[in-house]
Amino acid sequence: MKGKTSSPPQEGAAPPSRCPDNSAFKQQRLPAWKPQLTLASVLSSFFLTGAFCLTVGVCLVLSANSIREIQIDYSDKCSDCSKLRENSSNWNKECHCSVNFTLKEDILGDVFMYYGLQNFYQNHRRYMMSRSDAQLLGRNVNIQRSYCAPFSTYRNGTPMAPCGAIANSMFNDTIDLFYNRNSSVIQVPLLKTGNSWWTDKNVKFRNPESYNLSSAFAGTARPPYWQKPVYLLDEEDERNNGYVNDDFIIWMRVSAFATFRNLYRRLRRVRQFAEGLPAGNYTFRISYNFPVTRFKGRKHVILSTVVWSGGSNPFLGIAYLVAGTAAMLTGFVITGIHLKLRKKKTYFQKQ
């Protein structure tokens, strides 16, 4: 039986074509919007974009400048407490200090109190990973398999609740505000709940299920730098205790920069504070627990208002101004180049 053999290509025959099929899809003849870029359309795009960005930028900058804010550094004013806290053996000793200041004008509207830290780096990879999200959801997990080490268990095997370096370094100064009016001292009412995001409070953080919190955290121990267990963070409000404590939730949202501020309290607008903070003399009474001297840090208390664009941060407005200026300059440069080339073309045509 003879096999079939292919006949050799004839001399002079064209090689097989490698072009795509002559179809609308492969030849890219499908219906599409194909804009024709003209000088008018390009210049109008640049100028309109620039005008829009400049307008928004000016509004954002003016809005940020209208915010009333007062910032007080109490690192040096509480130096005695700072020296006491540098010795870890004094962790169970209380230390209080007071900082006086004066408001020359009323701060009207909603007033927010922040605590600020300087030179405190939270963006280290090991620090950011040192947490157990499963534990913070109230699940019974083996934290030795998490990234919490070395803040996971004690030497006797007792697990820490919550575990990790972030939770262990939680800011724990207590700050109260008092209004000095006519030789009388009035404590300013502050709200310590409702400061965290809804998703954090209801989705990302949950307490273990039990008939009470103390039994839910039975068999665990507080982190080494804490003064009380997690189920006693807020002894006055059961709904603001444990892993769903607002101060704890806000601290667990780490910052990208070494200098940052976190929301601490909000003014409760009642009685003489219904319109905001009136002008006068005030006092911060601080229970000093958070040492910062070893890493050359600073601590601040900030009282600030907010506007429709947010807090006191002009970065977004400046970014819009820079983008708008760049777009407008690009439009003028293109216009100049076009006029120069057109003048040159007209000159050669006359020659």
Side-chain angles (χ1 to χ4, degrees), residues 52-339:
F52 172 78
C53 290
L54 288 176
T55 302
V56 175
V58 170
C59 293
L60 290 175
V61 170
L62 293 177
S63 176
N65 291 335
S66 66
I67 293 176
R68 294 290 310 280
E69 180 176 300
I70 179 172
Q71 179 172 312
I72 297 175
D73 188 328
Y74 66 94
S75 305
D76 297 330
K77 297 179 180 179
C78 298
S79 57
D80 294 338
C81 292
S82 178
K83 294 177 182 178
L84 180 70
R85 285 289 173 255
E86 291 303 322
N87 188 349
S88 59
S89 62
N90 298 325
W91 66 271
N92 58 344
K93 296 180 180 180
E94 294 186 359
C95 188
H96 302 271
C97 59
S98 299
V99 179
N100 300 319
F101 66 98
T102 302
L103 288 181
K104 297 181 180 180
E105 297 180 357
D106 297 343
I107 300 182
L108 302 178
D110 295 327
V111 182
F112 298 83
M113 179 189 292
Y114 301 84
Y115 63 84
L117 290 177
Q118 183 177 344
N119 206 37
F120 189 94
Y121 290 85
Q122 291 187 309
N123 55 4
H124 193 281
R125 182 173 179 271
R126 289 191 62 186
Y127 181 87
M128 295 175 62
M129 296 179 61
S130 185
R131 59 186 293 166
S132 174
D133 291 322
Q135 183 194 48
L136 298 177
L137 282 171
R139 300 174 183 172
N140 187 13
V141 295
N142 184 6
I143 61 174
Q144 292 183 346
R145 297 180 180 179
S146 64
Y147 295 100
C148 289
F151 301 102
S152 55
T153 59
Y154 286 93
R155 293 182 179 180
N156 59 1
T158 304
M160 299 180 189
C163 70
I166 306 177
N168 183 60
S169 61
M170 177 181 169
F171 182 86
N172 57 350
D173 282 0
T174 302
I175 306 172
D176 294 318
L177 180 61
F178 292 87
Y179 176 45
N180 305 318
R181 179 185 180 185
N182 299 329
S183 69
S184 62
V185 178
I186 304 173
Q187 184 170 4
V188 179
L190 300 173
L191 296 172
K192 55 185 175 181
T193 58
N195 300 325
S196 60
W197 297 345
W198 184 91
T199 51
D200 287 342
K201 191 83 171 182
N202 297 276
V203 178
K204 296 179 64 177
F205 293 84
R206 296 178 183 174
N207 286 324
E209 295 183 0
S210 181
Y211 62 92
N212 60 37
L213 278 181
S214 59
S215 62
F217 289 98
T220 64
R222 59 176 176 81
Y225 291 172
W226 285 29
Q227 296 178 328
K228 51 187 176 182
V230 66
Y231 55 85
L232 293 179
L233 288 179
D234 190 351
E235 302 180 42
E236 300 176 358
D237 189 354
E238 186 73 16
R239 297 171 298 177
N240 190 41
N241 218 340
Y243 294 150
V244 296
N245 177 264
D246 276 40
D247 294 337
F248 173 71
I249 291 175
I250 292 174
W251 177 259
M252 293 299 291
R253 192 186 311 132
V254 296
S255 173
F257 302 100
T259 300
F260 61 92
R261 63 176 64 179
N262 285 336
L263 182 60
Y264 183 67
R265 296 290 184 264
R266 291 179 296 124
L267 174 66
R268 185 181 179 187
R269 299 174 61 177
V270 295
R271 299 189 298 276
Q272 60 264 42
F273 306 103
E275 300 297 328
L277 289 178
N281 298 321
Y282 289 84
T283 301
F284 282 125
R285 293 184 183 176
I286 302 167
S287 176
Y288 198 104
N289 299 308
F290 194 86
V292 295
T293 306
R294 289 191 177 182
F295 57 87
K296 299 179 181 180
R298 311 288 298 181
K299 294 193 292 186
H300 307 84
V301 185
I302 303 104
L303 295 175
S304 176
T305 60
V306 296
V307 291
W308 62 271
S309 59
S312 177
N313 189 358
F315 173 78
L316 186 60
I318 295 174
Y320 268 101
L321 290 177
V322 171
T325 304
M328 296 292 285
L329 289 177
T330 304
F332 284 119
V333 170
I334 294 176
T335 303
I337 294 175
H338 170 69
L339 294 176

